[in-house]
Amino acid sequence: MKDILLKVDNIIKRFDNNTVLNGISFDVHKGEVIVVVGPSGCGKSTLLRCINALEPIQGGSITLEGETINPADKNLTALRQKVGMVFQSYDLFPHLSVLRNITIAPEKVQKRNPKEVEKEALALLERVGLRDRANSFPRELSGGQKQRVAIVRALCMNPDLLLFDEVTAALDPEMVREVLDVMLNLAASGRTMIIVTHEMQFAKAIADRVIFLDAGQIVEEGDPISFFEHPQTDRAQKFLNTFEFESVKNHEK
Amino acid sequence: MPDLGLDVLLKGKNLARLLGGLGVAMRISMIAVVISIPLGIILGALMTWKNPVIKAILRVYLEVIRIMPQMVLLFLFYFGTTRAFGIDISGEMASIVVFTLWGTAEMSDLVRGALIAIPVHQYESAEALGFNRMQTYRYIIIPQTVRRLIPLSINLITRMIKTTSLILMIGVVEVLKVGQQIIEANRMVSPNAAFGIYLAIFMLYFFACWPISMLARYLENRWRV
Ligand SMILES: Nc1ncnc2c1ncn2[C@@H]1O[C@H](COP(=O)(O)OP(=O)(O)O)[C@@H](O)[C@H]1O
Ligand SMILES: [Mg+2]
């Protein structure tokens, strides 16, 4: 087995008295793609936010390459640079051009050479088919284009781990594919990723391992074929059925 | 051609006097603007704090200033201070105080609005990229706030300039008052002077405020977010 990159060990997350994550443990190895699925409100976003230290945890530990992630830590910026995150809402900086959105953090946070960063940013934009939009502003882009830029922005920090929180959930259907394709390419190039998604076909295609979360706990975990085709638990079966129902309707049309 | 009374404008030092009156109005509004803007920024930022006492005090200040017509505030300060406290302040001083109180209140509300309009995920995206608090404000939050704020505060400045036309009511000799004096003095020789003088005043206000409004419109388009 390859090296462990991220270790999530028995974490507890509460908002006031509401326990949202109740003893979650899993490891992520270098180059692995983990897909997290589960009903709305089960704590998927919260899990990713804890991993990126946007939320403090009340128990357990999260370690990235042996270093503990702790929101109160002084050295948080160093850790955050190793973890890239793309959110569901289009979260580009509206006052900056596409190129500047991508280059500002490598320049200001990582203090890298601006010329070099720009070259890298343009090369990455080329890869997602947006080289010609480098000087556009976010308001001039479609939702799918914005999400591709957000992915490039995260990539340009050269993170060891990428987190995706339902990045296609707010998109018009015809734009979902272009974003998923970018993520498939990243997986093919060996990126370590944790992906939260409701696109089950995509999950099946991209995942090395699927984690099914319900009510703040890992209910089932396994390779995508076994999970999607032979779910072991009732809860997973029920969850997957909600998607089946949709696909049956589509066939009848 | 009807007598528009424009000749009165060119008589003696009349035009220079009108410009001098405009100068008084501009001076009062500019002093008030220069004090109001930094104060408004500080109060506006304070309004976004969680402290309920500070919030309540600022809220009351803002509401009181906004509800009162500017004229009432002017009378209150000019006549009120003399009567109640025996302090004899000049009309110009009273005007500066009132305009500053008003400008600060309006500015703080604009600042508060611009700050709370920035979505939480702007802060979070910046943090997720490794920006620390200071950098998040410097590169992400403040530039967006300023872009929203500049056109709005320019509009506030033009409103303040225009509202100076009220201060003749407390005896400040600004452009409107000068105009009335000229009309009075020429009542016998050119009874139509009123039209010419008010037209001139209209033009003066217009040329004082128009470039500022244009600038606001330009910045608004350029910085649309
Ligand atoms: N900032 C917060 N304060 C209080 N409760 C929250 C907060 N964020 C999320 N929650 C609660 O945590 C639970 C899990 O939310 P979330 O992680 O967003 O679920 P998911 O992403 O799986 O839909 C929900 O019940 C939600 O109401
Ligand atoms: Mg979510």
Side-chain angles (χ1 to χ4, degrees), chain B residues 176-200:
Chain B
L176 211 54
K177 186 72 192 172
V178 173
Q180 289 181 348
Q181 288 171 349
I182 296 173
I183 294 164
E184 255 340 274
N186 292 282
R187 168 152 290 166
M188 295 304 163
V189 275
S190 32
N192 287 342
F195 183 79
I197 295 296
Y198 285 128
L199 185 69

CSV table of all heavy atoms in Angstrom, one decimal, chain B residues 176-200:
chain,number,residue,atom,x,y,z
B,176,LEU,N,-26.9,81.1,-2.8
B,176,LEU,CA,-28.3,81.4,-2.9
B,176,LEU,C,-28.6,82.8,-2.2
B,176,LEU,O,-29.4,83.6,-2.8
B,176,LEU,CB,-29.2,80.3,-2.2
B,176,LEU,CG,-30.6,80.1,-2.8
B,176,LEU,CD1,-30.5,79.8,-4.3
B,176,LEU,CD2,-31.2,78.9,-2.1
B,177,LYS,N,-28.0,83.0,-1.1
B,177,LYS,CA,-28.2,84.2,-0.3
B,177,LYS,C,-27.6,85.4,-1.1
B,177,LYS,O,-28.2,86.5,-1.3
B,177,LYS,CB,-27.4,84.1,1.0
B,177,LYS,CG,-27.7,85.3,1.9
B,177,LYS,CD,-29.1,85.3,2.5
B,177,LYS,CE,-29.4,86.6,3.2
B,177,LYS,NZ,-30.8,86.6,3.5
B,178,VAL,N,-26.4,85.2,-1.7
B,178,VAL,CA,-25.8,86.3,-2.6
B,178,VAL,C,-26.8,86.6,-3.7
B,178,VAL,O,-27.0,87.8,-4.0
B,178,VAL,CB,-24.5,85.8,-3.1
B,178,VAL,CG1,-23.9,86.9,-4.1
B,178,VAL,CG2,-23.5,85.6,-2.0
B,179,GLY,N,-27.3,85.6,-4.3
B,179,GLY,CA,-28.3,85.8,-5.4
B,179,GLY,C,-29.4,86.6,-5.0
B,179,GLY,O,-29.8,87.6,-5.6
B,180,GLN,N,-30.0,86.3,-3.8
B,180,GLN,CA,-31.1,87.1,-3.3
B,180,GLN,C,-30.8,88.5,-3.0
B,180,GLN,O,-31.5,89.5,-3.3
B,180,GLN,CB,-31.7,86.5,-2.0
B,180,GLN,CG,-32.4,85.1,-2.2
B,180,GLN,CD,-33.0,84.5,-1.0
B,180,GLN,OE1,-32.6,85.0,0.1
B,180,GLN,NE2,-33.8,83.5,-1.1
B,181,GLN,N,-29.5,88.7,-2.5
B,181,GLN,CA,-29.1,90.1,-2.3
B,181,GLN,C,-29.0,90.9,-3.6
B,181,GLN,O,-29.4,92.1,-3.6
B,181,GLN,CB,-27.7,90.1,-1.5
B,181,GLN,CG,-27.8,89.6,-0.1
B,181,GLN,CD,-26.4,89.4,0.5
B,181,GLN,OE1,-25.4,89.4,-0.2
B,181,GLN,NE2,-26.4,89.2,1.8
B,182,ILE,N,-28.4,90.2,-4.6
B,182,ILE,CA,-28.3,90.9,-5.9
B,182,ILE,C,-29.7,91.3,-6.5
B,182,ILE,O,-29.9,92.4,-6.9
B,182,ILE,CB,-27.5,90.0,-6.9
B,182,ILE,CG1,-26.1,89.8,-6.4
B,182,ILE,CG2,-27.5,90.7,-8.3
B,182,ILE,CD1,-25.3,88.9,-7.2
B,183,ILE,N,-30.6,90.3,-6.4
B,183,ILE,CA,-32.0,90.6,-6.9
B,183,ILE,C,-32.6,91.7,-6.1
B,183,ILE,O,-33.2,92.7,-6.8
B,183,ILE,CB,-32.8,89.3,-6.7
B,183,ILE,CG1,-32.3,88.2,-7.6
B,183,ILE,CG2,-34.3,89.6,-7.1
B,183,ILE,CD1,-32.8,86.8,-7.3
B,184,GLU,N,-32.5,91.7,-4.8
B,184,GLU,CA,-33.0,92.8,-4.0
B,184,GLU,C,-32.4,94.2,-4.4
B,184,GLU,O,-33.2,95.1,-4.7
B,184,GLU,CB,-32.5,92.6,-2.5
B,184,GLU,CG,-33.5,92.1,-1.5
B,184,GLU,CD,-35.0,92.3,-1.8
B,184,GLU,OE1,-35.5,93.4,-1.6
B,184,GLU,OE2,-35.6,91.3,-2.4
B,185,ALA,N,-31.1,94.2,-4.6
B,185,ALA,CA,-30.4,95.5,-4.9
B,185,ALA,C,-30.8,96.0,-6.2
B,185,ALA,O,-30.8,97.2,-6.5
B,185,ALA,CB,-28.9,95.3,-4.8
B,186,ASN,N,-31.2,95.1,-7.1
B,186,ASN,CA,-31.5,95.6,-8.5
B,186,ASN,C,-33.0,95.6,-8.8
B,186,ASN,O,-33.4,95.7,-10.0
B,186,ASN,CB,-30.8,94.7,-9.5
B,186,ASN,CG,-29.3,94.9,-9.5
B,186,ASN,OD1,-28.8,95.8,-10.0
B,186,ASN,ND2,-28.7,94.0,-8.8
B,187,ARG,N,-33.8,95.6,-7.8
B,187,ARG,CA,-35.3,95.5,-7.9
B,187,ARG,C,-35.8,96.6,-8.8
B,187,ARG,O,-36.6,96.4,-9.7
B,187,ARG,CB,-35.9,95.5,-6.6
B,187,ARG,CG,-37.4,95.7,-6.6
B,187,ARG,CD,-38.1,95.1,-5.4
B,187,ARG,NE,-38.1,93.7,-5.5
B,187,ARG,CZ,-38.4,92.8,-4.5
B,187,ARG,NH1,-38.7,93.3,-3.3
B,187,ARG,NH2,-38.3,91.5,-4.7
B,188,MET,N,-35.3,97.8,-8.6
B,188,MET,CA,-35.8,99.0,-9.3
B,188,MET,C,-35.3,99.0,-10.8
B,188,MET,O,-36.1,99.1,-11.7
B,188,MET,CB,-35.3,100.3,-8.6
B,188,MET,CG,-36.0,100.5,-7.3
B,188,MET,SD,-37.8,100.4,-7.4
B,188,MET,CE,-38.2,100.1,-5.7
B,189,VAL,N,-33.9,98.8,-11.0
B,189,VAL,CA,-33.4,99.0,-12.3
B,189,VAL,C,-33.7,97.8,-13.2
B,189,VAL,O,-34.0,98.0,-14.4
B,189,VAL,CB,-31.9,99.3,-12.3
B,189,VAL,CG1,-31.6,100.7,-12.1
B,189,VAL,CG2,-31.2,98.4,-11.2
B,190,SER,N,-33.5,96.6,-12.7
B,190,SER,CA,-33.9,95.4,-13.6
B,190,SER,C,-34.8,94.4,-12.8
B,190,SER,O,-34.3,93.6,-12.1
B,190,SER,CB,-32.7,94.7,-14.2
B,190,SER,OG,-31.6,94.8,-13.4
B,191,PRO,N,-36.1,94.7,-12.9
B,191,PRO,CA,-37.0,93.8,-12.2
B,191,PRO,C,-37.0,92.3,-12.6
B,191,PRO,O,-37.5,91.5,-11.8
B,191,PRO,CB,-38.4,94.4,-12.5
B,191,PRO,CG,-38.2,95.5,-13.5
B,191,PRO,CD,-36.7,95.7,-13.7
B,192,ASN,N,-36.4,92.0,-13.7
B,192,ASN,CA,-36.4,90.7,-14.2
B,192,ASN,C,-35.1,89.9,-13.7
B,192,ASN,O,-34.8,88.8,-14.2
B,192,ASN,CB,-36.5,90.6,-15.7
B,192,ASN,CG,-37.9,90.9,-16.1
B,192,ASN,OD1,-38.8,90.8,-15.3
B,192,ASN,ND2,-38.0,91.2,-17.4
B,193,ALA,N,-34.3,90.6,-12.9
B,193,ALA,CA,-33.0,90.0,-12.5
B,193,ALA,C,-33.2,88.6,-11.9
B,193,ALA,O,-32.3,87.7,-12.1
B,193,ALA,CB,-32.3,90.9,-11.5
B,194,ALA,N,-34.3,88.3,-11.2
B,194,ALA,CA,-34.5,87.0,-10.5
B,194,ALA,C,-34.2,85.9,-11.5
B,194,ALA,O,-33.5,84.9,-11.1
B,194,ALA,CB,-35.9,86.9,-10.0
B,195,PHE,N,-34.8,86.0,-12.7
B,195,PHE,CA,-34.6,84.8,-13.6
B,195,PHE,C,-33.1,84.6,-13.9
B,195,PHE,O,-32.6,83.5,-13.8
B,195,PHE,CB,-35.4,85.1,-14.9
B,195,PHE,CG,-35.3,83.9,-15.8
B,195,PHE,CD1,-36.0,82.8,-15.6
B,195,PHE,CD2,-34.4,83.9,-16.9
B,195,PHE,CE1,-35.9,81.7,-16.5
B,195,PHE,CE2,-34.2,82.8,-17.7
B,195,PHE,CZ,-35.0,81.7,-17.5
B,196,GLY,N,-32.5,85.7,-14.3
B,196,GLY,CA,-31.0,85.6,-14.7
B,196,GLY,C,-30.2,85.0,-13.5
B,196,GLY,O,-29.3,84.2,-13.7
B,197,ILE,N,-30.5,85.5,-12.4
B,197,ILE,CA,-29.6,85.1,-11.2
B,197,ILE,C,-29.9,83.7,-10.9
B,197,ILE,O,-28.9,82.9,-10.7
B,197,ILE,CB,-30.0,86.0,-10.0
B,197,ILE,CG1,-29.6,87.5,-10.3
B,197,ILE,CG2,-29.3,85.5,-8.7
B,197,ILE,CD1,-28.1,87.7,-10.5
B,198,TYR,N,-31.1,83.3,-10.8
B,198,TYR,CA,-31.4,81.9,-10.4
B,198,TYR,C,-30.9,80.9,-11.5
B,198,TYR,O,-30.4,79.8,-11.2
B,198,TYR,CB,-32.9,81.7,-10.1
B,198,TYR,CG,-33.3,82.2,-8.8
B,198,TYR,CD1,-34.4,83.1,-8.6
B,198,TYR,CD2,-32.5,81.9,-7.6
B,198,TYR,CE1,-34.7,83.6,-7.4
B,198,TYR,CE2,-32.9,82.4,-6.4
B,198,TYR,CZ,-33.9,83.3,-6.3
B,198,TYR,OH,-34.3,83.8,-5.1
B,199,LEU,N,-31.0,81.4,-12.8
B,199,LEU,CA,-30.4,80.6,-13.9
B,199,LEU,C,-28.9,80.4,-13.6
B,199,LEU,O,-28.4,79.3,-13.8
B,199,LEU,CB,-30.7,81.2,-15.2
B,199,LEU,CG,-30.2,80.4,-16.4
B,199,LEU,CD1,-31.1,79.2,-16.6
B,199,LEU,CD2,-30.3,81.3,-17.7
B,200,ALA,N,-28.3,81.5,-13.3
B,200,ALA,CA,-26.8,81.4,-13.0
B,200,ALA,C,-26.5,80.5,-11.9
B,200,ALA,O,-25.6,79.7,-11.9
B,200,ALA,CB,-26.3,82.8,-12.8
